Amino acid sequence: MTVVGVDVGGTGIKAGLVDTDTGALVGERIRVLTPEGGAPEAVIAEIARVVGMLGADGPIGVGLPGPLSAGRLMMMANLDPSWIGLFAQEMIATATGREVILVNDADAAGLAEMRFGAGAGCHGVVLMLTLGTGIGSALFVDGHLVPNTEFGHIEVRGKDGEDRAAPSVRERKGLSWAAWVERLNEYIDHIDKLVWPDRIILGGGVSKNPEKFMPMVRARPPIVTATLQNNAGIVGSALRVAETLSSRSAPQP
Ligand code: BGC
């Protein structure tokens, strides 16, 4: 099936029509800037605009940068805090006129990598980290997602991990790649000591340029770069829709 996936980040909103059997984008990928400040009304209006530009009908999957429970955001670090507690699912459905299935953005990226990318066929405990404006995490146990892990907020040196080790911090502070990777290595080591994953996948915007940092990354478990790169969030949001629809049509016990 083909499904529209939308990936909402602190910097950009990306969307595309996804063939959920192959993970390929059908037609163009759209990227617009996240409205300054990230207020819900403005972001939702942009989501509606990009969905309108894609034109296909049917339910849409939307990846949002915060933990979700029953269609609401429970916390928000990289968009306006007024998202917290909002019935985002309902609001986006009203604005787009579509059924909306929400998923955490990093969970979406992880779903896509586990199915079509660097995690395909991997068993055991796999941790995907998305490195962008913030740091997102998606944890898989034998291919099953444990949703809403928020490892970007693990404390390192008394600070939120993402406030020390996200690529946006490197840019903001003008750090060299080597200085940033030192922070990243320390951050990964903290998570490793809590989770002991069998494999780590690094995704997000920086995974487009792995040569800049991967040779300096040191971690106990095998660590690889994501292969779907910036499309993972779009693809995974669409996959979430396909999964939800197929679980609805499965025979009930
Ligand atoms: C949020 C996560 C999100 C990550 C990447 C963090 O600040 O708390 O939910 O996955 O940023 O966008």
Side-chain angles (χ1 to χ4, degrees):
M1 68 190 294
T2 53
V3 176
V4 169
V6 184
D7 181 19
V8 180
T11 316
I13 300 174
K14 292 165 270 181
L17 185 61
V18 179
D19 178 334
T20 56
D21 296 321
T22 63
L25 254 54
V26 183
E28 60 169 342
R29 167 191 195 267
I30 299 174
R31 184 179 189 275
V32 296
L33 287 180
T34 305
E36 189 72 40
E41 301 70 23
V43 171
I44 291 172
E46 281 302 272
I47 296 174
R49 194 166 72 85
V50 295
V51 170
M53 284 159 82
L54 285 167
D57 47 31
I60 60 172
V62 179
L64 290 175
L68 291 152
S69 176
R72 301 165 86 173
L73 277 153
M74 308 309 288
M75 192 196 72
M76 181 53 81
N78 292 311
L79 295 176
D80 192 89
S82 63
W83 279 91
I84 300 168
L86 280 191
F87 285 97
Q89 185 170 10
E90 214 172 284
M91 290 170 71
I92 301 170
T94 306
T96 56
R98 309 289 191 88
E99 182 185 357
V100 172
I101 289 158
L102 296 183
V103 57
N104 171 265
D105 59 349
D107 284 348
L111 286 170
E113 286 294 332
M114 292 302 285
R115 178 86 170 272
F116 301 114
C122 288
H123 292 278
V125 178
V126 179
L127 174 65
M128 160 106 187
L129 295 173
T130 62
L131 307 174
T133 312
I135 296 182
S137 58
L139 187 67
F140 293 84
V141 182
D142 289 336
H144 297 287
L145 172 69
V146 181
N148 287 326
T149 56
E150 283 287 330
F151 296 148
H153 303 291
I154 277 178
E155 205 176 286
V156 180
R157 294 182 190 255
K159 270 196 160 186
D160 235 24
E162 70 175 18
D163 290 342
R164 282 187 49 80
S168 59
V169 177
R170 189 189 74 80
E171 284 161 29
R172 213 170 44 241
K173 294 199 172 238
L175 299 178
S176 66
W177 283 96
W180 173 67
V181 173
E182 218 172 282
R183 290 174 172 224
L184 182 66
N185 285 341
E186 184 183 35
Y187 164 75
I188 291 173
D189 191 48
H190 266 67
I191 303 187
D192 184 34
K193 297 228 160 64
L194 299 173
V195 182
W196 297 94
D198 297 309
R199 185 183 180 88
I200 297 180
I201 304 172
L202 294 184
V206 280
S207 62
K208 273 189 296 189
N209 305 106
E211 71 289 349
K212 296 231 180 349
F213 68 100
M214 280 308 275
M216 294 181 281
V217 171
R218 306 269 173 267
R220 180 202 55 87
I223 186 155
V224 293
T225 21
T227 57
L228 302 177
Q229 298 167 356
N230 253 345
N231 285 343
I234 301 175
V235 174
S237 304
L239 279 181
R240 192 82 177 109
V241 173
E243 271 178 5
T244 308
L245 297 183
S246 80
S247 70
R248 272 184 206 159
S249 60
Q252 299 301 313

